[in-house]
Amino acid sequence: MKNRKVANTIAKKVTVRVLIVLLVSQFLLFAISYLLLQHIVSDNAKNNNEAMVTIFADMVLSEAFEKNVPIDENFAANILSLGNYICRLNNIEFAYLFVPEQEAGKIKYICVSQNSKVDEINPHDRYIGKVTSYTLTADERAVWNGEKEISHSVTVSKIGHEISTMVRITDPYGHPMMAGVDQSYEEMNRRVIRGFSILAVTTVLANCLIFFFISIVMEKRISVPAGKVCEVMSGYLASGSCSESKLQVDGNDELAKISAAFNSMTDNIQNYLSNISSLTKEQEKQNAQLDISSQIQRGFLKNGHFESGHCIIHADMIPARYVAGDLYDYMMIDDNHILTVIADVSGKGVAASIFMAVTLMLIREVAKMNKSPAEILKRVNDSLSVNNPSLLFLTAVIGIYDLKERTYIYCNAGHNLPYILRDRVIPLSGTRNPLLGIFPGEEFVEDLVTLRPGDAIFLYTDGVNEAVNESNEFFGTERLETALEEWMTSKTEDPVDYVERKMAEFTGNAERHDDTTMLCLLPCETEVLVLQPQIHEFAKLKQKILYLPLSRKELLDLCLAAEEIFVNICSYAYNEEIEKGDIRVSVRVSQKITIEFSDKGIPFDPTKNMISAEDYDIDEQIGGLGRLIAFRSVDDVRYERKNGSNILTLIKYI
């Protein structure tokens, strides 16, 4: 029913518009026709009057000149019947002769003929010899004075509007006079209106027939087909599928074409949905397989955070797709050497990830037998180049950190230059060796750098500097170096996380086009002291602190903070119920100085309930001031309760 209303609304709108067009056009046609007919009637009346007055004047003059008599009242009696005949025959109301007396403003009728029908309806007061007041019009004076041949004027009489036409004549004796005829304009108008009314009625009836015919055609050619189209389309929208029978609309008009297009569209949609369903199932299978592949690939990589007494490693690999062609790795070759690896396989996807896994296994196996980055790359390159039908290749940087010598030996196989993070960000220069996996037998040259306390090595793939934002701008090495410099200033989080956060802020919602991998090696020295909970034991810790790479003032501040913590543990950590135990103090030097206190005393978090220096009242408050001074002497303080121990960490950035 709703679809039917829609169809009827379309037909109704079209039909009403057709009707309005017909009515407006007919009204305009009637108006124009009426005005045109009025003009024609007026012209015909004037022409008819002009002919009649000419005939009447010629008849009078012919009779007068034939008899050679003056035109007077006696003469008028002889031609009266003839004038009446002319009036009756030509529907003229009056035909008359008169002599104007302009100065007196009067006229004298010499002859007056009339139409008897008019006289019966409305008797007139004109007769032969009558003198009446009358002022000639401008046109009539012009005719009387010989300036014009004929005049026309419209006057209002007892029987309505009349057209009066006059000419000047002269009898055989030279007496001038005016001859005129009057014709009723109303009668002529009535005849026109009568004919026009007949035409209007006929036209209206014809329009009714046309409108009825249009309604039938609209119902058959628009309403019914449109109803079918709406019904089928609504059913399709409601159910999402068409019935087995197709939409059929006869003809070759727009609705028929819409029906054919709709049938074709539904067929295409059904085929498309069927294909999409198949593709979706296949894609789901592929995605599941890729997800498993991603998990397997992640399983090949080491944990992103490694920490020992001699170094800290932060690393991360973010694939552009499910699986990646980037890799990172690290491993302790022996007690004094740690291997770091970062590599980027050409291409992305499954093939690159498989090539990455093979490369990673080769590097690990070869590294167990060699402590030279150049030899490792040479053997890996020879193995990859022997059987590489896909002609994949990779760039890589392999480095080995010597814990005793504090040296970092590295070999760069066509990869981005690593950075050394010292007092500033410095690109590590060195030999650019060939790519891996293309030609066997290549030789590789390694380089060496000696690391100072607080130095760090930062490795990355080109997915970092070539990351783009929504405006297709590259992150670039300049932004990377700026981010590393900012991290060196703040050091509030690990460098890899910091750079990733800066990249995310830069790229926004832009699509990731390449895998992103970073690795940062932070060498450190760690020494663990096991002290008795006695205040004099602090001298051992103090001796270690005074040799740390800090300024004199920073060393004194750090000693003050460490002494306050150590004395508090000795004084308050143990009671009669808890037996005194050792205090383990770990001192680590890397990018920062970290002093970690561990005791198994009473659970206590010294970072809570801190007093305020501004509100401290020495007479009212007892304790807390030492903690405040100690914590303000370092850059950061962290506490946790772990495995039954209080662990308090003091951090001082170098």
Side-chain angles (χ1 to χ4, degrees), residues 388-407:
N388 185 11
S390 300
L391 297 180
L392 293 174
F393 61 89
L394 73 151
T395 65
V397 175
I398 292 183
I400 295 178
Y401 176 58
D402 189 320
L403 305 180
K404 289 184 176 180
E405 301 296 330
R406 296 181 181 176
T407 58

Side-chain angles (χ1 to χ4, degrees), residues 225 228-230 232-233 245-249 258-260 262-263:
K228 290 181 180 178
V229 172
C230 291
V232 174
M233 286 185 174
S245 59
K246 295 293 184 181
L247 181 58
Q248 298 292 336
V249 176
I258 290 174
S259 302
F262 178 75
N263 292 333

Side-chain angles (χ1 to χ4, degrees), residues 77 99 122 135 142 332 335 357 407 438 470 503 510 554 579 610 636:
V99 176
N122 187 14
T135 302
M332 293 293 300
D335 293 340
T407 58
I438 300 179
E470 296 173 350
M503 287 178 60
E554 290 174 326
E579 183 180 356
M610 292 293 296
D636 195 7

